Amino acid sequence: MLREDDAPDHGHPHPDPHPHPHGCRRPSGAGETVTVEQKVLAKNDLLAERNRTWMTGRGIVAVNMMSSPGAGKTTLLERAVTDLGGRRPVAVVEGDQETRLDADRIRGTGCAVVQVNTGAGCHLDAEMMREALTALSPAEGSLLMVENVGNLVCPALFDLGERSKVVIISVTEGTDKPLKYPYMFAVADLVLINKSDLLPYVDFDVEQCAQHARSVNPDVRVLTVSATTGEGLAHWYDWLTEQQ
Amino acid sequence: MHELAITQSVVDAVCERAGGRPVRSVRVRVGVLTAVVPDSMRFCFGLVTEGTAAEGAQLEIDQPPGAGRCRTCAVEFTLTDLILLCSCGSADVEITSGQELQIVSMEVG
Ligand SMILES: Nc1nc2c(ncn2[C@@H]2O[C@H](COP(=O)(O)OP(=O)(O)OP(=O)(O)O)[C@@H](O)[C@H]2O)c(=O)[nH]1
Ligand SMILES: [Mg+2]
Ligand SMILES: [Zn+2]
Ligand SMILES: [Zn+2]
């Protein structure tokens, strides 16, 4: 494909407005060049930083949970809010493209929850997080668990102002998932390998998967859990408690 | 399709910066180690600019290559993916290029 830069100027006069189907460049001098030099996501980053400051000031610890659809985010959350709710205030932000189903599941546990429908959007962003914080107004010292939209690509790019990022992969998804979605695994603070109860039935190598995750993120913590049987959840709760 | 959200951010930022003047072209820097595909971004740019001050603008995409530096032996080398491993065996590699996602400049007026 010919890049615009490579297209030769062909030097005809340019009446305005002028469609450019052939990719010609307007002769310099026709406009003013403005240096921008800012991050594409500067605005999101700024809002995220405000969220972070707001939460830090109230001792609220937010954890951003990301995975492919169906890896077990909501099931893990249901267990966590039940198991941890007695120890400290817990609140949940549910990101979902269309439905209220996940929020209803969390509400069923009696936990404070707000649903953010992203519509066509495939990720939460800092503005949605700000709205969720306003709607929830979590108690001081809360643990705020955020279920991002099921998607292993762009949630990695959008900072919400969270304290930590958790990536969940289930054992039915394949050992090489970290190599297929390196951007997501590269930003994770913790990888949860979920559905360990299914290990006898699938071809999944836990140690190999952990190595793949470390190949893109050498310091990442990896824990194996089952949201169904409860195996390993105590370590996950210990990790959550360390996130202060 | 995360390029849509990324491109929307680019267009919002340049239109705001242009302060009502028409935007003729936009230059961005998208490192090869980002998850952003330039052709998808070009496609989205046409859609997202419709009806804005940047309608019909050109999108120029610079693509810095991936590069890393080993913190153990200090060697510098090319990175074609995010797998951080130096030939000395160390995985303590700093990415020095390829993760840029910047708006460089624009032409207005
Ligand atoms: N066997 C087994 N099944 C599980 C486990 N955790 C979750 N599941 C099942 O996996 C399916 C999907 O779980 P969810 O918790 O809804 O997954 P999710 O990541 O929230 O899904 P989305 O919100 O659609 O992205 C459900 O049928 C769960 O019962 C587990 O540890 N073991
Ligand atoms: Mg869910
Ligand atoms: Zn997205
Ligand atoms: Zn080295």
Side-chain angles (χ1 to χ4, degrees), chain B residues 31-91:
Chain B
V32 300
L33 300 180
T34 65
V36 178
V37 179
D39 277 347
S40 306
M41 199 169 174
R42 281 196 192 88
F43 174 74
C44 293
F45 190 77
L47 296 177
V48 167
T49 51
E50 250 173 57
T52 74
E55 182 159 353
Q58 306 253 344
L59 179 65
E60 295 165 22
I61 305 178
D62 295 338
Q63 281 205 276
R69 200 187 71 87
C70 176
R71 290 199 189 88
T72 305
C73 74
V75 78
E76 297 190 18
F77 55 97
T78 305
L79 281 175
T80 52
D81 54 38
L82 282 182
I83 295 176
L84 306 176
L85 188 61
C86 176
S87 52
C88 78
S90 169

Side-chain angles (χ1 to χ4, degrees), chain A residues 136-204:
Chain A
L136 259 183
S137 61
E140 293 218 0
S142 289
L143 174 64
L144 181 61
M145 307 189 74
V146 181
E147 176 171 344
N148 216 313
V149 180
N151 166 359
L152 274 182
V153 184
C154 50
L157 293 166
F158 289 83
D159 187 7
L160 306 178
E162 70 275 39
R163 169 69 182 72
S164 333
K165 295 184 200 288
V166 179
V167 177
I168 299 120
I169 165 182
S170 57
V171 302
T172 53
E173 292 175 56
T175 304
D176 53 3
K177 201 99 189 195
L179 299 181
K180 290 182 176 161
Y181 296 91
Y183 308 99
M184 180 57 82
F185 285 85
V187 299
D189 297 294
L190 173 71
V191 174
L192 282 183
I193 300 178
N194 187 32
K195 309 194 187 181
S196 63
D197 56 293
L198 299 180
L199 278 171
Y201 313 106
V202 293
D203 183 18
F204 185 92

Side-chain angles (χ1 to χ4, degrees), chain A residues 1 3-4 16 20 24-25 31-41 123 153-154 183 215-216 218, chain B residues 2 5 17 21 24 29 33-35 39 58-61 82 84 91 101-108:
Chain A
M1 184 180 160
R3 291 186 40 196
E4 283 84 11
D16 282 316
H20 280 74
C24 74
R25 296 188 68 184
E32 177 199 344
T33 302
V34 179
T35 304
V36 183
E37 284 298 347
Q38 76 173 41
K39 282 188 176 176
V40 169
L41 296 176
H123 58 273
V153 184
C154 50
Y183 308 99
S215 74
V216 297
Chain B
H2 53 287
R17 191 72 179 263
R21 291 174 294 175
R24 307 296 187 191
R29 195 179 292 128
L33 300 180
T34 65
D39 277 347
Q58 306 253 344
L59 179 65
E60 295 165 22
I61 305 178
L82 282 182
L84 306 176
L101 198 52
Q102 296 256 130
I103 304 169
V104 181
S105 62
M106 62 183 183
E107 210 173 292
V108 295

Side-chain angles (χ1 to χ4, degrees), chain A residues 15 20 45 48 60 94-95 103 116 139 149 155 163 166 175 183 235 240-241:
Chain A
H20 280 74
D45 289 350
I60 297 167
E94 274 295 341
V116 181
V149 180
R163 169 69 182 72
V166 179
T175 304
Y183 308 99
H235 297 294
L240 280 172
T241 310

